[in-house]
mmCIF file of all heavy atoms in Angstrom:
data_model
loop_
_atom_site.group_PDB
_atom_site.id
_atom_site.type_symbol
_atom_site.label_atom_id
_atom_site.label_comp_id
_atom_site.label_asym_id
_atom_site.label_seq_id
_atom_site.Cartn_x
_atom_site.Cartn_y
_atom_site.Cartn_z
ATOM 1 N N LYS A 1 -0.470 6.550 9.677
ATOM 2 C CA LYS A 1 -0.289 7.676 8.759
ATOM 3 C C LYS A 1 0.837 8.587 9.225
ATOM 4 O O LYS A 1 1.664 9.038 8.417
ATOM 5 C CB LYS A 1 -1.596 8.467 8.636
ATOM 6 C CG LYS A 1 -1.532 9.576 7.586
ATOM 7 C CD LYS A 1 -2.897 10.167 7.333
ATOM 8 C CE LYS A 1 -2.821 11.228 6.217
ATOM 9 N NZ LYS A 1 -4.142 11.796 5.906
ATOM 10 N N LEU A 2 0.890 8.850 10.515
ATOM 11 C CA LEU A 2 1.933 9.711 11.050
ATOM 12 C C LEU A 2 3.318 9.089 10.895
ATOM 13 O O LEU A 2 4.305 9.792 10.677
ATOM 14 C CB LEU A 2 1.653 10.014 12.526
ATOM 15 C CG LEU A 2 0.439 10.922 12.785
ATOM 16 C CD1 LEU A 2 0.023 10.866 14.249
ATOM 17 C CD2 LEU A 2 0.749 12.359 12.382
ATOM 18 N N ILE A 3 3.370 7.766 10.982
ATOM 19 C CA ILE A 3 4.664 7.084 10.880
ATOM 20 C C ILE A 3 5.097 6.910 9.426
ATOM 21 O O ILE A 3 6.269 7.111 9.090
ATOM 22 C CB ILE A 3 4.603 5.704 11.576
ATOM 23 C CG1 ILE A 3 4.475 5.882 13.095
ATOM 24 C CG2 ILE A 3 5.843 4.867 11.260
ATOM 25 C CD1 ILE A 3 4.203 4.586 13.842
ATOM 26 N N ASN A 4 4.154 6.561 8.555
ATOM 27 C CA ASN A 4 4.538 6.081 7.218
ATOM 28 C C ASN A 4 4.226 7.010 6.055
ATOM 29 O O ASN A 4 4.759 6.800 4.962
ATOM 30 C CB ASN A 4 3.848 4.738 6.941
ATOM 31 C CG ASN A 4 4.271 3.672 7.932
ATOM 32 O OD1 ASN A 4 5.452 3.530 8.224
ATOM 33 N ND2 ASN A 4 3.306 2.928 8.448
ATOM 34 N N HIS A 5 3.393 8.014 6.239
ATOM 35 C CA HIS A 5 2.909 8.755 5.083
ATOM 36 C C HIS A 5 3.337 10.211 5.057
ATOM 37 O O HIS A 5 2.715 11.027 4.386
ATOM 38 C CB HIS A 5 1.382 8.642 5.003
ATOM 39 C CG HIS A 5 0.905 7.234 4.846
ATOM 40 N ND1 HIS A 5 1.007 6.548 3.667
ATOM 41 C CD2 HIS A 5 0.361 6.363 5.730
ATOM 42 C CE1 HIS A 5 0.542 5.321 3.819
ATOM 43 N NE2 HIS A 5 0.135 5.188 5.056
ATOM 44 N N TYR A 6 4.373 10.549 5.781
ATOM 45 C CA TYR A 6 4.871 11.917 5.765
ATOM 46 C C TYR A 6 6.230 11.960 5.083
ATOM 47 O O TYR A 6 7.107 11.135 5.347
ATOM 48 C CB TYR A 6 5.005 12.471 7.198
ATOM 49 C CG TYR A 6 3.845 13.341 7.592
ATOM 50 C CD1 TYR A 6 2.757 12.803 8.266
ATOM 51 C CD2 TYR A 6 3.819 14.687 7.275
ATOM 52 C CE1 TYR A 6 1.670 13.597 8.618
ATOM 53 C CE2 TYR A 6 2.741 15.486 7.625
ATOM 54 C CZ TYR A 6 1.681 14.942 8.295
ATOM 55 O OH TYR A 6 0.610 15.732 8.631
ATOM 56 N N ASN A 7 6.407 12.948 4.211
ATOM 57 C CA ASN A 7 7.697 13.124 3.567
ATOM 58 C C ASN A 7 8.723 13.736 4.522
ATOM 59 O O ASN A 7 9.920 13.634 4.309
ATOM 60 C CB ASN A 7 7.562 14.025 2.322
ATOM 61 C CG ASN A 7 6.738 13.353 1.234
ATOM 62 O OD1 ASN A 7 6.804 12.141 1.079
ATOM 63 N ND2 ASN A 7 5.971 14.143 0.492
ATOM 64 N N ASP A 8 8.189 14.390 5.560
ATOM 65 C CA ASP A 8 9.062 15.042 6.537
ATOM 66 C C ASP A 8 9.751 13.971 7.388
ATOM 67 O O ASP A 8 9.116 13.270 8.175
ATOM 68 C CB ASP A 8 8.210 15.968 7.420
ATOM 69 C CG ASP A 8 9.069 16.858 8.312
ATOM 70 O OD1 ASP A 8 10.065 16.360 8.865
ATOM 71 O OD2 ASP A 8 8.724 18.042 8.453
ATOM 72 N N ASP A 9 11.066 13.863 7.239
ATOM 73 C CA ASP A 9 11.809 12.815 7.936
ATOM 74 C C ASP A 9 11.767 13.002 9.448
ATOM 75 O O ASP A 9 11.726 12.034 10.205
ATOM 76 C CB ASP A 9 13.262 12.810 7.445
ATOM 77 C CG ASP A 9 14.017 11.558 7.893
ATOM 78 O OD1 ASP A 9 13.477 10.451 7.699
ATOM 79 O OD2 ASP A 9 15.112 11.706 8.462
ATOM 80 N N ALA A 10 11.751 14.258 9.892
ATOM 81 C CA ALA A 10 11.727 14.524 11.338
ATOM 82 C C ALA A 10 10.430 14.027 11.957
ATOM 83 O O ALA A 10 10.424 13.435 13.049
ATOM 84 C CB ALA A 10 11.898 16.018 11.592
ATOM 85 N N ILE A 11 9.293 14.238 11.260
ATOM 86 C CA ILE A 11 8.002 13.754 11.754
ATOM 87 C C ILE A 11 7.991 12.232 11.770
ATOM 88 O O ILE A 11 7.534 11.603 12.731
ATOM 89 C CB ILE A 11 6.855 14.304 10.886
ATOM 90 C CG1 ILE A 11 6.665 15.793 11.169
ATOM 91 C CG2 ILE A 11 5.554 13.548 11.160
ATOM 92 C CD1 ILE A 11 5.591 16.450 10.340
ATOM 93 N N HIS A 12 8.504 11.627 10.718
ATOM 94 C CA HIS A 12 8.561 10.161 10.637
ATOM 95 C C HIS A 12 9.323 9.574 11.825
ATOM 96 O O HIS A 12 8.834 8.659 12.505
ATOM 97 C CB HIS A 12 9.229 9.767 9.317
ATOM 98 C CG HIS A 12 9.512 8.302 9.193
ATOM 99 N ND1 HIS A 12 8.516 7.362 9.011
ATOM 100 C CD2 HIS A 12 10.684 7.612 9.249
ATOM 101 C CE1 HIS A 12 9.062 6.156 8.947
ATOM 102 N NE2 HIS A 12 10.365 6.274 9.086
ATOM 103 N N LYS A 13 10.510 10.096 12.093
ATOM 104 C CA LYS A 13 11.344 9.554 13.177
ATOM 105 C C LYS A 13 10.701 9.794 14.539
ATOM 106 O O LYS A 13 10.739 8.933 15.421
ATOM 107 C CB LYS A 13 12.731 10.189 13.119
ATOM 108 C CG LYS A 13 13.565 9.734 11.926
ATOM 109 C CD LYS A 13 14.931 10.408 11.919
ATOM 110 C CE LYS A 13 15.764 9.907 10.747
ATOM 111 N NZ LYS A 13 17.079 10.596 10.673
ATOM 112 N N ARG A 14 10.127 10.986 14.706
ATOM 113 C CA ARG A 14 9.535 11.283 16.008
ATOM 114 C C ARG A 14 8.297 10.429 16.256
ATOM 115 O O ARG A 14 8.039 9.990 17.381
ATOM 116 C CB ARG A 14 9.175 12.766 16.083
ATOM 117 C CG ARG A 14 8.903 13.213 17.521
ATOM 118 C CD ARG A 14 8.734 14.695 17.634
ATOM 119 N NE ARG A 14 8.467 15.056 19.011
ATOM 120 C CZ ARG A 14 7.993 16.229 19.387
ATOM 121 N NH1 ARG A 14 7.761 17.171 18.481
ATOM 122 N NH2 ARG A 14 7.761 16.485 20.668
ATOM 123 N N ALA A 15 7.501 10.189 15.201
ATOM 124 C CA ALA A 15 6.312 9.343 15.340
ATOM 125 C C ALA A 15 6.708 7.936 15.768
ATOM 126 O O ALA A 15 6.069 7.333 16.644
ATOM 127 C CB ALA A 15 5.541 9.309 14.027
ATOM 128 N N ILE A 16 7.749 7.395 15.164
ATOM 129 C CA ILE A 16 8.220 6.061 15.538
ATOM 130 C C ILE A 16 8.584 6.025 17.014
ATOM 131 O O ILE A 16 8.228 5.101 17.750
ATOM 132 C CB ILE A 16 9.431 5.648 14.670
ATOM 133 C CG1 ILE A 16 8.991 5.399 13.229
ATOM 134 C CG2 ILE A 16 10.112 4.408 15.241
ATOM 135 C CD1 ILE A 16 10.126 5.117 12.278
ATOM 136 N N GLU A 17 9.279 7.064 17.468
ATOM 137 C CA GLU A 17 9.727 7.099 18.863
ATOM 138 C C GLU A 17 8.547 7.240 19.821
ATOM 139 O O GLU A 17 8.474 6.557 20.844
ATOM 140 C CB GLU A 17 10.699 8.265 19.052
ATOM 141 C CG GLU A 17 11.325 8.343 20.444
ATOM 142 C CD GLU A 17 12.110 7.093 20.811
ATOM 143 O OE1 GLU A 17 12.703 6.468 19.908
ATOM 144 O OE2 GLU A 17 12.128 6.739 22.014
ATOM 145 N N LEU A 18 7.590 8.123 19.490
ATOM 146 C CA LEU A 18 6.468 8.373 20.391
ATOM 147 C C LEU A 18 5.547 7.163 20.521
ATOM 148 O O LEU A 18 4.995 6.910 21.593
ATOM 149 C CB LEU A 18 5.656 9.574 19.894
ATOM 150 C CG LEU A 18 6.280 10.945 20.102
ATOM 151 C CD1 LEU A 18 5.463 12.006 19.382
ATOM 152 C CD2 LEU A 18 6.388 11.284 21.580
ATOM 153 N N PHE A 19 5.373 6.418 19.427
ATOM 154 C CA PHE A 19 4.433 5.301 19.450
ATOM 155 C C PHE A 19 5.116 3.964 19.711
ATOM 156 O O PHE A 19 4.452 2.934 19.777
ATOM 157 C CB PHE A 19 3.649 5.246 18.138
ATOM 158 C CG PHE A 19 2.834 6.484 17.866
ATOM 159 C CD1 PHE A 19 2.911 7.144 16.651
ATOM 160 C CD2 PHE A 19 2.003 7.008 18.845
ATOM 161 C CE1 PHE A 19 2.168 8.292 16.404
ATOM 162 C CE2 PHE A 19 1.261 8.151 18.612
ATOM 163 C CZ PHE A 19 1.344 8.797 17.392
ATOM 164 N N ARG A 20 6.433 3.997 19.865
ATOM 165 C CA ARG A 20 7.172 2.757 20.101
ATOM 166 C C ARG A 20 6.715 2.066 21.375
ATOM 167 O O ARG A 20 6.615 0.848 21.448
ATOM 168 C CB ARG A 20 8.675 3.044 20.184
ATOM 169 C CG ARG A 20 9.541 1.798 20.257
ATOM 170 C CD ARG A 20 10.982 2.144 20.640
ATOM 171 N NE ARG A 20 11.555 3.151 19.772
ATOM 172 C CZ ARG A 20 12.077 2.889 18.585
ATOM 173 N NH1 ARG A 20 12.094 1.649 18.126
ATOM 174 N NH2 ARG A 20 12.569 3.855 17.843
ATOM 175 N N GLY A 21 6.434 2.825 22.402
ATOM 176 C CA GLY A 21 6.131 2.242 23.705
ATOM 177 C C GLY A 21 4.716 1.734 23.875
ATOM 178 O O GLY A 21 4.356 1.252 24.949
ATOM 179 N N LEU A 22 3.897 1.833 22.844
ATOM 180 C CA LEU A 22 2.494 1.434 23.002
ATOM 181 C C LEU A 22 2.346 -0.027 23.382
ATOM 182 O O LEU A 22 1.419 -0.403 24.081
ATOM 183 C CB LEU A 22 1.725 1.701 21.708
ATOM 184 C CG LEU A 22 1.255 3.138 21.516
ATOM 185 C CD1 LEU A 22 0.544 3.277 20.195
ATOM 186 C CD2 LEU A 22 0.351 3.567 22.650
ATOM 187 N N ARG A 23 3.222 -0.867 22.895
ATOM 188 C CA ARG A 23 3.094 -2.294 23.142
ATOM 189 C C ARG A 23 4.041 -2.776 24.232
ATOM 190 O O ARG A 23 4.240 -3.952 24.417
ATOM 191 C CB ARG A 23 3.322 -3.062 21.844
ATOM 192 C CG ARG A 23 2.280 -2.711 20.797
ATOM 193 C CD ARG A 23 2.386 -3.565 19.572
ATOM 194 N NE ARG A 23 1.314 -3.277 18.646
ATOM 195 C CZ ARG A 23 1.074 -3.957 17.540
ATOM 196 N NH1 ARG A 23 1.831 -4.986 17.215
ATOM 197 N NH2 ARG A 23 0.086 -3.631 16.744
ATOM 198 N N VAL A 24 4.637 -1.844 24.918
ATOM 199 C CA VAL A 24 5.509 -2.206 26.032
ATOM 200 C C VAL A 24 4.722 -2.035 27.312
ATOM 201 O O VAL A 24 4.160 -0.992 27.570
ATOM 202 C CB VAL A 24 6.770 -1.321 26.056
ATOM 203 C CG1 VAL A 24 7.637 -1.655 27.248
ATOM 204 C CG2 VAL A 24 7.549 -1.482 24.761
ATOM 205 N N ASN A 25 4.680 -3.054 28.119
ATOM 206 C CA ASN A 25 3.836 -3.019 29.306
ATOM 207 C C ASN A 25 4.564 -3.746 30.435
ATOM 208 O O ASN A 25 5.338 -4.666 30.187
ATOM 209 C CB ASN A 25 2.505 -3.716 28.994
ATOM 210 C CG ASN A 25 1.475 -3.497 30.075
ATOM 211 O OD1 ASN A 25 1.604 -4.039 31.158
ATOM 212 N ND2 ASN A 25 0.463 -2.717 29.772
ATOM 213 N N ASP A 26 4.332 -3.294 31.641
ATOM 214 C CA ASP A 26 4.972 -3.953 32.776
ATOM 215 C C ASP A 26 4.610 -5.425 32.852
ATOM 216 O O ASP A 26 5.299 -6.220 33.491
ATOM 217 C CB ASP A 26 4.549 -3.264 34.086
ATOM 218 C CG ASP A 26 5.134 -1.872 34.214
ATOM 219 O OD1 ASP A 26 6.145 -1.604 33.532
ATOM 220 O OD2 ASP A 26 4.589 -1.063 34.979
ATOM 221 N N ARG A 27 3.516 -5.788 32.202
ATOM 222 C CA ARG A 27 3.067 -7.173 32.290
ATOM 223 C C ARG A 27 3.700 -8.070 31.235
ATOM 224 O O ARG A 27 3.381 -9.247 31.150
ATOM 225 C CB ARG A 27 1.538 -7.216 32.187
ATOM 226 C CG ARG A 27 0.911 -6.512 33.388
ATOM 227 C CD ARG A 27 -0.528 -6.794 33.624
ATOM 228 N NE ARG A 27 -1.014 -8.094 33.333
ATOM 229 C CZ ARG A 27 -1.039 -9.128 34.189
ATOM 230 N NH1 ARG A 27 -0.525 -8.987 35.411
ATOM 231 N NH2 ARG A 27 -1.559 -10.278 33.831
ATOM 232 N N THR A 28 4.611 -7.488 30.468
ATOM 233 C CA THR A 28 5.299 -8.304 29.463
ATOM 234 C C THR A 28 6.037 -9.464 30.120
ATOM 235 O O THR A 28 6.062 -10.587 29.598
ATOM 236 C CB THR A 28 6.270 -7.431 28.654
ATOM 237 O OG1 THR A 28 5.550 -6.373 28.029
ATOM 238 C CG2 THR A 28 6.973 -8.250 27.585
ATOM 239 N N LYS A 29 6.655 -9.183 31.268
ATOM 240 C CA LYS A 29 7.390 -10.245 31.978
ATOM 241 C C LYS A 29 6.443 -11.356 32.438
ATOM 242 O O LYS A 29 6.791 -12.534 32.418
ATOM 243 C CB LYS A 29 8.132 -9.660 33.171
ATOM 244 C CG LYS A 29 9.285 -8.729 32.780
ATOM 245 C CD LYS A 29 9.990 -8.179 34.003
ATOM 246 C CE LYS A 29 11.132 -7.251 33.607
ATOM 247 N NZ LYS A 29 11.802 -6.664 34.797
ATOM 248 N N VAL A 30 5.225 -10.962 32.844
ATOM 249 C CA VAL A 30 4.242 -11.966 33.258
ATOM 250 C C VAL A 30 3.881 -12.847 32.058
ATOM 251 O O VAL A 30 3.795 -14.080 32.174
ATOM 252 C CB VAL A 30 2.973 -11.286 33.828
ATOM 253 C CG1 VAL A 30 1.931 -12.329 34.210
ATOM 254 C CG2 VAL A 30 3.321 -10.412 35.019
ATOM 255 N N TYR A 31 3.708 -12.199 30.917
ATOM 256 C CA TYR A 31 3.392 -12.942 29.701
ATOM 257 C C TYR A 31 4.510 -13.931 29.371
ATOM 258 O O TYR A 31 4.249 -15.106 29.063
ATOM 259 C CB TYR A 31 3.173 -11.978 28.541
ATOM 260 C CG TYR A 31 3.166 -12.642 27.178
ATOM 261 C CD1 TYR A 31 2.173 -13.547 26.824
ATOM 262 C CD2 TYR A 31 4.170 -12.362 26.244
ATOM 263 C CE1 TYR A 31 2.173 -14.160 25.586
ATOM 264 C CE2 TYR A 31 4.175 -12.973 25.008
ATOM 265 C CZ TYR A 31 3.184 -13.870 24.683
ATOM 266 O OH TYR A 31 3.190 -14.481 23.455
ATOM 267 N N GLU A 32 5.744 -13.471 29.450
ATOM 268 C CA GLU A 32 6.873 -14.347 29.140
ATOM 269 C C GLU A 32 6.896 -15.535 30.101
ATOM 270 O O GLU A 32 7.188 -16.671 29.705
ATOM 271 C CB GLU A 32 8.184 -13.564 29.220
ATOM 272 C CG GLU A 32 8.357 -12.512 28.135
ATOM 273 C CD GLU A 32 8.438 -13.130 26.746
ATOM 274 O OE1 GLU A 32 8.904 -14.281 26.630
ATOM 275 O OE2 GLU A 32 8.019 -12.465 25.777
ATOM 276 N N ASP A 33 6.558 -15.274 31.370
ATOM 277 C CA ASP A 33 6.558 -16.347 32.373
ATOM 278 C C ASP A 33 5.465 -17.372 32.084
ATOM 279 O O ASP A 33 5.665 -18.583 32.241
ATOM 280 C CB ASP A 33 6.363 -15.721 33.762
ATOM 281 C CG ASP A 33 6.326 -16.765 34.862
ATOM 282 O OD1 ASP A 33 7.181 -17.674 34.848
ATOM 283 O OD2 ASP A 33 5.423 -16.687 35.716
ATOM 284 N N TRP A 34 4.305 -16.881 31.641
ATOM 285 C CA TRP A 34 3.166 -17.773 31.422
ATOM 286 C C TRP A 34 3.210 -18.465 30.060
ATOM 287 O O TRP A 34 2.365 -19.317 29.781
ATOM 288 C CB TRP A 34 1.853 -16.997 31.581
ATOM 289 C CG TRP A 34 1.415 -16.935 33.025
ATOM 290 C CD1 TRP A 34 1.970 -16.204 34.017
ATOM 291 C CD2 TRP A 34 0.342 -17.670 33.617
ATOM 292 N NE1 TRP A 34 1.326 -16.409 35.200
ATOM 293 C CE2 TRP A 34 0.304 -17.313 34.983
ATOM 294 C CE3 TRP A 34 -0.605 -18.575 33.150
ATOM 295 C CZ2 TRP A 34 -0.619 -17.846 35.877
ATOM 296 C CZ3 TRP A 34 -1.531 -19.104 34.035
ATOM 297 C CH2 TRP A 34 -1.533 -18.742 35.386
ATOM 298 N N LYS A 35 4.146 -18.151 29.224
ATOM 299 C CA LYS A 35 4.240 -18.806 27.916
ATOM 300 C C LYS A 35 4.493 -20.304 28.046
ATOM 301 O O LYS A 35 4.273 -21.064 27.099
ATOM 302 C CB LYS A 35 5.345 -18.156 27.071
ATOM 303 C CG LYS A 35 4.902 -16.832 26.466
ATOM 304 C CD LYS A 35 6.035 -16.097 25.778
ATOM 305 C CE LYS A 35 6.402 -16.748 24.462
ATOM 306 N NZ LYS A 35 7.409 -15.927 23.723
ATOM 307 N N SER A 36 4.912 -20.727 29.256
ATOM 308 C CA SER A 36 5.137 -22.155 29.460
ATOM 309 C C SER A 36 3.849 -22.963 29.310
ATOM 310 O O SER A 36 3.892 -24.169 29.010
ATOM 311 C CB SER A 36 5.738 -22.402 30.858
ATOM 312 O OG SER A 36 4.832 -21.965 31.870
ATOM 313 N N VAL A 37 2.666 -22.321 29.496
ATOM 314 C CA VAL A 37 1.402 -23.057 29.371
ATOM 315 C C VAL A 37 1.168 -23.516 27.929
ATOM 316 O O VAL A 37 0.359 -24.423 27.688
ATOM 317 C CB VAL A 37 0.190 -22.224 29.861
ATOM 318 C CG1 VAL A 37 0.395 -21.729 31.279
ATOM 319 C CG2 VAL A 37 -0.098 -21.055 28.930
ATOM 320 N N LEU A 38 1.880 -22.910 26.983
ATOM 321 C CA LEU A 38 1.698 -23.270 25.576
ATOM 322 C C LEU A 38 2.202 -24.674 25.285
ATOM 323 O O LEU A 38 1.855 -25.277 24.270
ATOM 324 C CB LEU A 38 2.411 -22.253 24.670
ATOM 325 C CG LEU A 38 1.926 -20.798 24.791
ATOM 326 C CD1 LEU A 38 2.797 -19.877 23.945
ATOM 327 C CD2 LEU A 38 0.464 -20.681 24.365
ATOM 328 N N THR A 39 3.008 -25.210 26.199
ATOM 329 C CA THR A 39 3.532 -26.572 26.015
ATOM 330 C C THR A 39 2.620 -27.620 26.642
ATOM 331 O O THR A 39 2.827 -28.821 26.446
ATOM 332 C CB THR A 39 4.935 -26.683 26.634
ATOM 333 O OG1 THR A 39 4.852 -26.470 28.055
ATOM 334 C CG2 THR A 39 5.884 -25.655 26.025
#
């Protein structure tokens, strides 16, 4: 809702920036390394 349902462009842009990092984790590199098991 904060990202998509506000007419205020400043709130929209800031919400995107604040929540962008939620799926970024130090373990991303571990995941990329272990993707070889999929083969």
Side-chain angles (χ1 to χ4, degrees):
K1 186 170 183 178
L2 291 165
I3 291 172
N4 298 315
H5 299 285
Y6 261 93
N7 293 325
D8 189 318
D9 193 49
I11 288 178
H12 172 71
K13 290 180 178 177
R14 195 172 180 195
I16 291 175
E17 185 59 33
L18 286 172
F19 299 130
R20 187 192 306 278
L22 278 179
R23 298 187 175 187
V24 177
N25 191 289
D26 291 339
R27 295 196 35 89
T28 302
K29 292 180 180 178
V30 178
Y31 166 65
E32 292 296 331
D33 179 45
W34 275 72
K35 282 173 74 174
S36 62
V37 305
L38 300 175
T39 63

